Amino acid sequence: MKFTIERTALLKSLGHVQRVVERRTTIPILSNVLLSAEKGGLSLTATDMELSVVETLPADIGAKGQATAPAHTLYDIVRKLPEGAQIAFDYDAESARLGLSAGRSRFALSTLPVEEFPALSGDQFSHSFTLEAASLRNLIEHTSFAISVEETRYYLNGIFLHATENGSADVLRAVATDGHRLAQVEMPLPEGATGMPGVILPRKAVLELGKLMEEMSDPVEVGLSETRVRFTTADAILTSKLIDGTFPDYGRVIPTKNDKMLVVNRREFAEAVDRVSTISIEKSRAVKLGLAPGKLLLSASSEESGTASEELAVKYDAEPIEIGFNARYLLDIAQQIEGEDIELMLADASSPTLLRDLAEGSALYVLMPMRV
Amino acid sequence: MTIRLLPEAIVNRIAAGEVIERPASVVKELVENAIDAGARRIEIVLANGGHNLISVTDDGTGMTETELALSIERHATSKLTDDSLQQIATLGFRGEALPSIGAAGRLTITSRTRNAASAFSISVEGSRKSEVMPASHPVGTRVELRDLFFATPARLKFLKTPQTELHHAVDVVRRLAMAHPETAFQLSDEKRSVLQLHANQGELFDTRAERLAQILGREFTENALPIHAAREGMTLSGYAGLPTFNRANARMQYFFVNGRPVRDALFHGAVRAAYQDLLARDRHPVLALFLEIPPERVDVNVHPAKAEVRFREAGLVRGLFVGALRHALHEAGHRAASTVSQVALGAFRPETPPVMTEGHAPACALNERAPAYRPRLPGTEAPHARPEAAGEDVGEATTDHPLGAARAQLHETYIVAQTEDGIVFVDQHAAHERIVLERMLEGLQANNVARQILLIPEVVEMTEAKAARVLERADELAELGLIVESFGPGAVAVREVPAILGDVNPQGLIQDLADDLEEFEDGASLRDRLNHVAATMACHGSVRAGRRLTADEMNALLRQMETTPHAGQCNHGRPTYVELKLQDIERLFGRR
């Protein structure tokens, strides 16, 4: 195998695939990335057995062939090479070393046999459909923050993606929750997704997908089966196992009868919450929202630091109410809102509160209050 | 096979199996009888670990001729006067011990009352009774048991070595002796006296301290806090060891209910709760606690050997224990065990032991090397001391404060302070961490624990008994920020969790709690988790080792330690400071 490639393109793709590779693994081959030089160009493959990413990029192929090399080392080398460098790769099968040269730098990386690299099973996908990059990004971006990181409730460690109905419209809906808050984003159901199984995309796949989607505008093809999902773009394929579990019946926790409506400017609200919560006890970060017609009083107190309060002018005309929240949760949600105003629908100090972007109707958030 | 009534000999042998397990059980029954008879002096002799002979002699009230004949009948006792099991004030009451012992070996009882002209004796051999015969004996009773288990060879095979059996017997006597300081005990084997405890006269509390010192060592009473608390007719007294005086197992925890040694999970759980966050989970305090409770509120008739009891109001008893211990520990403030400084002193030994000649102060022997002196290597410095700080402080009265005035900081980690009669070394990180933690816990309590309500209440399934136990403590858990409610039999719904735990799995939390409640009757795991979060925060928020402190900062730390509860040990029970008394230092230099 022999090829030459431009540094910038390689760095970007390596950056994607090396993230899949775990820093510590008991299976040595999983620390390596598979390089395949083919007619169309170079493809890089990395996997942790759950998730795999294949990226293809143009290269000047001298001789076809395959080799594996330590992913993180390779990435670090390429990163440190000067910008604009042309990197020449040359695999010597006899010494099993991958030669790499650029300018006056020479590297010979030890490799592992290509045959050891796990072959990715060519799954049959029962459903496949196409999503606009922007729509897919919207689905995952606004829900991923609510994914639980607590590992024993594994079924919450991902985004629940499923087809359902909203009123009369068929929608594709993404939901994530950690038991304290919930985020839900939906879009019209794309063609081909009708009858798709509800699946839970694991957190790691969601994060990698987010990275891949960062500067992408092309449509993405999604393939689904009961156990796997595949996202295919023009030059990358991400395949992941799905979380085998039952996502809780989230529908019943989304309040429908909350009648106290509060509309507040997103930026003012987020900044005030952030300021006031400086006072509250680390970790719990409790802030209290005191509502009276036309105004919102944010306050926090802790035995150690003292008290803080800030008043905001808001749209509110229901009866006065006092309710506590975790400031971090409020800020997380405020960050998802793209429009100018947030709408909060409240019931009482112990019931779930519904939050929405006033400008954009596809997303909604549910937040459980805190007793302070 | 037809059903038939078993002959009495077999009945007795079966009953003996329950009560008489090993020589120590015989010793227990007989010594309890002696105590119940009001003995002031009890002598116990064991030959060959009790296998060949067990003899217990007391100077109690004794028995008359007729009583003596009755005593070896099953269910005959002098201890229940009105046929009611509600008011048991004696150690025994079942009327089973003597017949059981009689079924297990060759038993001879000799007894004389104060008014009798002579003593009488009776003997039983494998349930065959002899006539009552006149004998010679002073006032009191002597019970002799030879050839234990000769009638039940199966039991015989399970006996351990004489040494082990003797050890068990000694343990039994020690326990009973702790509760009865007014009685003298002597236990000997064929050759020597193994345990000798004099009767301690005088006021109850002092005699008990003296007896405990004899049994558990002087070290214990010196490092223990007196406990005295009363609540709703119950009294708890005794001694509880300082947290820094700890052991790797709970074997050195002695509990007594109305003078009866008992082992009960309830007590261990209460102790664990009281010492929590003062001790690491695998360390155990040493204590001896005595509970006096009206007999009708405790059921001792649970276990044939009466090692377990049941309380009518278990929660109340637990509360009394935790409250009393907490209070005492709180009062103790920053006291650390003197054993700590003993250990430190041990480490201080000069490299060459001074040549001690009898009657002589260790004069400077000519041939003695000067081990403490080593030429300083180039480039190394003496430990960083702060002479300027010391200079400023000389004027300050050191006598005002228990922890004295800071004199120097060594290795940027330890503070050296001078007190009126000694030196104090303080581990600055451990000490400050404790102060920050105490402040934080206080804040948590004052503010109520903030609770995050769950979006989807978590239903946790467990056995019905476990669920009931969790729900029983729902109020207590609510104070710690955990709201649970019943969700049908064998299930608990978690509605709210403490906010500082963050993204926590309620399922795991509740299961752990239920296990804890089952084992220790105490929800330690929740408090543990809260404390762990607080401790991590405290650790990050406190002065680390390696930071240079000014004299003012050091003094401020010392003053804070004096006013902070539990400042004598860090969160894991390690001492935060060590005090060396001047006399100890003088001893080091051979001045005393």
Side-chain angles (χ1 to χ4, degrees):
Chain A
M1 182 186 74
K2 208 168 181 175
F3 63 90
T4 310
I5 194 165
E6 204 274 319
R7 173 190 173 267
T8 319
L10 180 61
L11 184 64
K12 189 178 146 218
S13 296
L14 266 179
H16 290 153
V17 299
Q18 63 96 24
R19 287 167 48 93
V20 174
V21 176
E22 293 286 348
R23 287 264 162 207
R24 289 174 205 88
T25 161
T26 52
I27 309 172
I29 191 71
L30 294 186
S31 322
N32 281 16
V33 54
L34 174 69
L35 301 108
S36 313
E38 281 144 32
K39 216 175 190 179
L42 172 71
S43 78
L44 304 170
T45 310
T47 181
D48 65 355
M49 302 298 271
E50 300 270 313
L51 173 67
S52 80
V53 174
V54 184
E55 283 215 37
T56 318
L57 59 164
D60 186 0
I61 307 291
K64 286 193 259 183
Q66 287 188 313
T68 73
H72 296 300
T73 316
L74 188 60
Y75 175 69
D76 284 346
I77 292 172
V78 174
R79 190 166 53 84
K80 289 171 185 175
L81 288 172
E83 208 162 312
Q86 288 290 322
I87 312 172
F89 285 83
D90 186 1
Y91 178 62
D92 177 23
E94 205 162 301
S95 64
R97 296 209 168 227
L98 179 66
L100 187 159
S101 61
R104 292 186 211 178
S105 315
R106 298 277 176 283
F107 298 87
L109 300 176
S110 52
T111 63
L112 289 171
V114 171
E115 303 76 59
E116 282 184 20
F117 201 84
L120 304 170
S121 60
D123 256 29
Q124 292 297 312
F125 292 106
S126 59
H127 291 79
S128 69
F129 50 90
T130 308
L131 289 178
E132 286 305 316
S135 318
L136 180 56
R137 206 156 38 218
N138 192 42
L139 282 181
I140 60 175
E141 246 179 30
H142 294 322
T143 47
S144 58
F145 75 95
I147 298 176
S148 171
V149 290
E150 207 279 311
E151 283 182 3
T152 53
R153 281 183 297 170
Y154 58 93
Y155 50 86
L156 295 185
N157 296 151
I159 294 178
F160 183 46
L161 194 67
H162 60 301
T164 182
E165 282 169 13
N166 188 352
S168 57
D170 287 332
V171 292
L172 178 65
R173 188 181 278 173
V175 183
T177 179
D178 63 2
H180 299 172
R181 61 239 168 105
L182 175 146
Q184 170 190 316
V185 180
E186 60 190 28
M187 58 174 289
L189 192 69
E191 212 174 304
T194 315
M196 69 173 255
V199 297
I200 308 175
L201 307 182
R203 181 187 167 79
K204 191 171 172 186
V206 168
L207 296 180
E208 295 317 316
L209 186 61
K211 283 280 169 202
L212 276 182
M213 305 297 306
E214 247 165 23
E215 334 74 74
M216 189 149 339
S217 53
D218 304 329
V220 180
E221 204 186 297
V222 184
L224 269 184
S225 74
E226 294 278 349
T227 56
R228 269 169 204 271
V229 62
R230 170 169 292 175
F231 296 91
T232 313
T233 70
D235 47 17
I237 303 169
L238 181 146
T239 314
S240 173
K241 279 192 189 162
L242 295 166
I243 293 178
D244 184 12
T246 312
F247 201 79
D249 177 15
Y250 67 91
R252 64 195 168 90
V253 304
I254 298 177
T256 50
K257 296 199 179 73
N258 287 8
D259 53 353
K260 303 186 178 63
M261 187 173 82
L262 162 71
V263 176
V264 58
N265 179 283
R266 179 189 70 85
R267 209 172 56 91
E268 280 178 19
F269 181 66
E271 285 174 0
V273 167
D274 194 20
R275 268 193 294 272
V276 167
S277 69
T278 320
I279 277 297
S280 48
I281 304 167
E282 206 182 341
K283 302 267 183 188
S284 65
R285 292 240 157 263
V287 292
K288 218 181 268 177
L289 277 61
L291 282 163
K295 69 181 185 192
L296 162 65
L297 182 71
L298 286 163
S299 63
S301 72
S302 88
E303 191 74 359
E304 207 176 329
S305 328
T307 61
S309 67
E310 184 159 344
E311 202 178 281
L312 294 176
V314 295
K315 268 186 226 147
Y316 183 78
D317 49 18
E319 60 201 84
I321 171 178
E322 212 171 59
I323 183 167
F325 287 109
N326 183 324
R328 195 165 57 82
Y329 294 167
L330 282 177
L331 292 175
D332 277 348
I333 292 174
Q335 231 168 42
Q336 307 308 321
I337 308 280
E338 281 156 7
E340 206 155 88
D341 293 319
I342 309 181
E343 178 202 75
L344 291 90
M345 299 295 292
L346 305 130
D348 56 56
S350 57
S351 306
T353 296
L354 192 68
L355 296 96
R356 258 194 297 240
D357 189 341
L358 256 197
E360 216 262 321
S362 70
L364 67 84
Y365 308 97
V366 182
L367 180 54
M368 242 7 228
M370 201 163 134
R371 291 196 204 272
V372 284
Chain B
M1 223 179 281
T2 49
I3 296 178
R4 65 186 180 107
L5 269 177
L6 292 175
E8 201 189 332
I10 302 286
V11 171
N12 279 348
R13 228 171 276 169
I14 291 172
E18 282 172 28
V19 184
I20 310 300
E21 199 187 349
R22 59 190 339 161
S25 341
V26 177
V27 172
K28 174 177 173 293
E29 297 298 334
L30 297 181
V31 172
E32 281 184 358
N33 280 349
I35 292 171
D36 283 343
R40 281 288 164 270
R41 176 167 181 79
I42 301 174
E43 275 174 49
I44 305 129
V45 179
L46 274 81
N48 193 18
H51 185 172
N52 296 358
L53 168 73
I54 300 171
S55 126
V56 175
T57 311
D58 68 55
D59 60 353
T61 50
M63 286 179 276
T64 62
E65 195 180 341
T66 35
E67 280 178 321
L68 194 57
L70 254 181
S71 70
I72 49 171
E73 295 297 330
R74 178 155 302 275
H75 308 304
T77 184
S78 60
K79 297 175 186 179
L80 286 180
T81 44
D82 57 353
D83 291 345
S84 156
L85 281 176
Q86 298 285 312
Q87 294 274 356
I88 296 167
T90 48
L91 295 175
F93 58 85
R94 296 166 69 105
E96 281 186 325
L98 286 177
S100 296
I101 294 171
R106 302 177 214 276
L107 177 72
T108 312
I109 308 172
T110 314
S111 188
R112 177 177 169 183
T113 56
R114 192 165 297 279
N115 303 324
S118 82
F120 291 93
S121 100
I122 188 170
S123 55
V124 186
E125 206 167 290
S127 295
R128 272 199 318 279
K129 286 163 252 187
S130 77
E131 292 296 310
V132 178
M133 285 182 291
S136 145
H137 194 266
V139 174
T141 306
R142 172 191 181 88
V143 183
E144 271 185 11
L145 179 72
R146 290 180 189 276
D147 304 324
L148 177 64
F149 297 146
F150 85 97
T152 49
R155 263 297 144 96
L156 200 54
K157 287 194 190 127
F158 285 96
L159 282 187
K160 299 278 188 317
T161 62
Q163 201 51 47
T164 314
E165 296 300 340
L166 178 67
H167 182 80
H168 282 289
V170 170
D171 193 52
V172 162
V173 176
R174 277 157 51 108
R175 279 176 194 273
L176 284 165
M178 273 189 231
H180 300 278
E182 69 288 348
T183 306
F185 289 84
Q186 184 177 358
L187 192 155
S188 41
D189 62 6
E190 307 93 316
K191 299 174 208 94
R192 62 193 177 94
S193 155
V194 183
L195 187 71
Q196 177 120 37
L197 301 166
H198 300 291
N200 295 310
Q201 310 287 339
E203 191 228 334
L204 181 65
F205 225 78
D206 281 335
T207 61
R208 183 178 283 159
E210 191 52 36
R211 177 55 63 87
L212 290 176
Q214 281 174 8
I215 294 175
L216 296 176
R218 196 67 49 201
E219 211 175 70
F220 170 68
T221 36
E222 274 168 14
N223 290 300
L225 307 163
I227 303 289
H228 199 85
R231 193 189 287 178
E232 305 190 20
M234 301 183 290
T235 319
L236 181 71
S237 57
Y239 288 85
L242 290 170
T244 39
F245 183 73
N246 56 39
R247 290 286 177 272
N249 57 42
R251 222 175 288 155
M252 292 279 271
Q253 298 182 354
Y254 299 92
F255 302 101
F256 302 85
V257 175
N258 294 342
R260 181 194 308 281
V262 292
R263 291 162 215 255
D264 201 307
L266 172 90
F267 299 138
H268 289 286
V271 167
R272 218 166 74 107
Y275 277 84
Q276 190 172 42
D277 78 6
L278 297 176
L279 271 181
R281 274 189 103 159
D282 56 352
R283 304 298 298 178
H284 302 270
V286 179
L287 29 82
L289 296 174
F290 302 82
L291 179 69
E292 297 295 328
I293 182 168
E296 68 273 15
R297 284 159 69 183
V298 58
D299 183 3
V300 290
N301 194 11
V302 185
H303 188 274
K306 304 173 205 108
E308 284 171 29
V309 293
R310 291 278 178 280
F311 293 103
R312 199 163 287 177
E313 310 112 326
L316 208 59
V317 173
R318 196 186 119 85
L320 176 67
F321 266 71
V322 178
L325 287 172
R326 277 262 148 199
H327 179 74
L329 290 168
H330 195 82
E331 295 279 289
H334 59 78
R335 245 181 97 188
S338 69
T339 42
V340 173
S341 61
Q342 291 301 331
V343 172
L345 268 176
F348 255 130
R349 295 276 159 246
E351 285 170 33
T352 324
V355 190
M356 286 284 194
T357 37
E358 234 177 329
H360 259 270
C364 257
L366 284 177
N367 57 354
E368 199 179 326
R369 287 177 297 133
Y373 175 76
R374 289 212 190 85
R376 194 183 296 169
L377 294 169
T380 60
E381 278 179 45
H384 171 76
R386 316 217 61 190
E388 72 278 9
E392 286 163 21
D393 281 340
V394 172
E396 191 183 330
T398 56
T399 53
D400 293 357
H401 305 294
L403 292 180
R407 286 285 180 249
Q409 186 188 22
L410 303 181
H411 296 287
E412 275 129 42
T413 303
Y414 303 101
I415 298 170
V416 182
Q418 179 177 342
T419 61
E420 191 185 1
D421 58 351
I423 321 176
V424 170
F425 292 93
V426 177
D427 178 337
Q428 65 186 41
H429 176 61
H432 195 232
E433 190 177 290
R434 184 81 221 179
I435 291 169
V436 174
L437 176 67
E438 284 295 331
R439 209 190 297 144
M440 203 157 341
L441 292 177
E442 206 175 289
L444 272 181
Q445 266 149 21
N447 275 12
N448 278 335
V449 180
R451 307 190 303 260
Q452 173 67 50
I453 309 171
L454 294 179
L455 200 51
I456 308 163
E458 188 86 10
V459 176
V460 186
E461 292 187 8
M462 52 182 86
T463 64
E464 256 174 71
K466 271 192 187 181
R469 218 170 275 133
V470 170
L471 292 169
E472 235 169 62
R473 293 288 168 76
D475 291 350
E476 210 173 302
L477 295 176
E479 266 171 45
L480 296 171
L482 189 70
I483 305 292
V484 291
E485 53 191 58
S486 171
F487 199 80
V492 171
V494 186
R495 298 213 164 265
E496 305 173 17
V497 296
I500 63 167
L501 293 185
D503 195 359
V504 62
N505 181 4
Q507 191 102 22
L509 183 64
I510 291 287
Q511 295 285 12
D512 284 1
L513 258 178
D515 288 346
D516 267 14
L517 288 175
E518 185 165 41
E519 194 175 345
F520 303 106
E521 310 226 349
D522 165 44
S525 53
L526 176 58
R527 227 176 273 130
D528 257 8
R529 289 204 195 190
L530 289 174
N531 285 350
H532 180 76
V533 175
T536 316
M537 284 155 67
C539 185
H540 292 306
S542 57
V543 169
R544 294 300 181 90
R547 220 197 87 189
R548 235 172 241 203
L549 298 176
T550 65
D552 290 339
E553 282 177 303
M554 290 191 277
N555 276 318
L557 183 66
L558 295 178
R559 298 297 83 80
Q560 282 177 29
M561 284 173 70
E562 284 157 5
T563 52
T564 303
H566 319 305
Q569 58 276 317
C570 78
N571 315 339
H572 315 289
R574 289 192 299 269
T576 54
Y577 76 92
V578 178
E579 182 171 12
L580 295 183
K581 294 287 180 199
L582 212 48
Q583 42 177 306
D584 295 330
I585 301 167
E586 285 169 349
R587 213 174 290 142
L588 274 181
F589 288 100
R591 280 166 169 245
R592 273 172 181 247

